[in-house]
Amino acid sequence: MDQLLAALADPERLRLYARIVLDELPPREADSPAARKHLGRLLANGLVERLPDGSLHADPAVFRRAPADGHPTVPRRLTGFFAHGRLTAIPVRPVVRHELLVHLTDTLFDTDRSYSEREINDAFRTVHDDTAALRRYCVTDGLLVRERDGGSYRRVLADA
């Protein structure tokens, strides 16, 4: 729950969320740089979802589904790579890095939908600024598959 509230703590992000809830955000405004800046965090925390037609939908049920302790479970071996919910370093050891990538893809992406590169970057940006590296590692490790046309990605179930 704390993570959801932290995502709404920024006044601009809260206004954006309210406009999405009230269905008062025109599609072209949702693609503006100002909106995209905050939209990634709303998407990554599950407060907002992008529908297949590109529109945005806020699901209030996310507050009922929030973990009781308010903290997403990070595998014990990975806790040293996080501070205040953000990834501080990408592990160098391939085995540990793979475990981190499995955790991130499980946390940030659903298996039953495709994501644009921008959506992938927005989700990764909520935990680390080097979105290109995280995206590349996920593709290399077979956790994300880039479609042939390069326009979208989808999550693949991992063998953790």
Side-chain angles (χ1 to χ4, degrees):
M1 184 66 76
D2 290 345
Q3 186 177 1
L4 297 177
L5 296 176
L8 295 172
D10 181 277
E12 288 298 316
R13 194 174 305 118
L14 182 59
R15 274 193 279 286
L16 177 66
Y17 180 69
R19 291 182 69 198
I20 294 168
V21 168
L22 297 171
D23 200 25
E24 295 178 355
L25 185 69
R28 71 176 183 283
E29 193 175 330
D31 289 333
S32 72
R36 282 198 322 252
K37 174 182 172 186
H38 297 293
L39 193 54
R41 185 128 183 225
L42 295 175
L43 288 164
N45 283 291
L47 290 162
V48 173
E49 68 176 320
R50 191 176 296 272
L51 300 177
D53 67 357
S55 63
L56 299 169
H57 172 72
D59 182 7
V62 71
F63 293 100
R64 289 189 294 277
R65 293 188 303 258
D69 64 1
H71 299 288
T73 305
V74 174
R76 184 179 191 106
R77 185 164 138 166
L78 300 175
T79 57
F81 293 99
F82 286 87
H84 308 293
R86 294 214 20 107
L87 183 62
T88 57
I90 298 172
V92 175
R93 290 185 46 221
V95 171
V96 179
R97 183 174 56 232
H98 182 77
E99 187 176 349
L100 168 74
L101 297 172
V102 168
H103 168 70
L104 292 178
T105 55
D106 285 350
T107 304
L108 299 173
F109 307 111
D110 292 326
T111 55
D112 59 347
R113 64 168 289 218
S114 292
Y115 294 88
S116 69
E117 187 167 308
R118 185 177 77 200
E119 289 174 310
I120 296 286
N121 289 342
D122 288 345
F124 280 142
R125 194 171 290 112
T126 64
V127 293
H128 197 271
D129 291 330
D130 194 351
T131 60
L134 291 172
R135 191 179 65 246
R136 189 177 340 63
Y137 285 135
C138 283
V139 170
T140 302
D141 280 15
L143 300 171
L144 290 176
V145 174
R146 186 174 185 194
E147 299 300 330
R148 278 186 146 0
D149 66 2
S152 64
Y153 294 78
R154 61 184 170 79
R155 183 177 149 215
V156 178
L157 289 175
D159 296 335

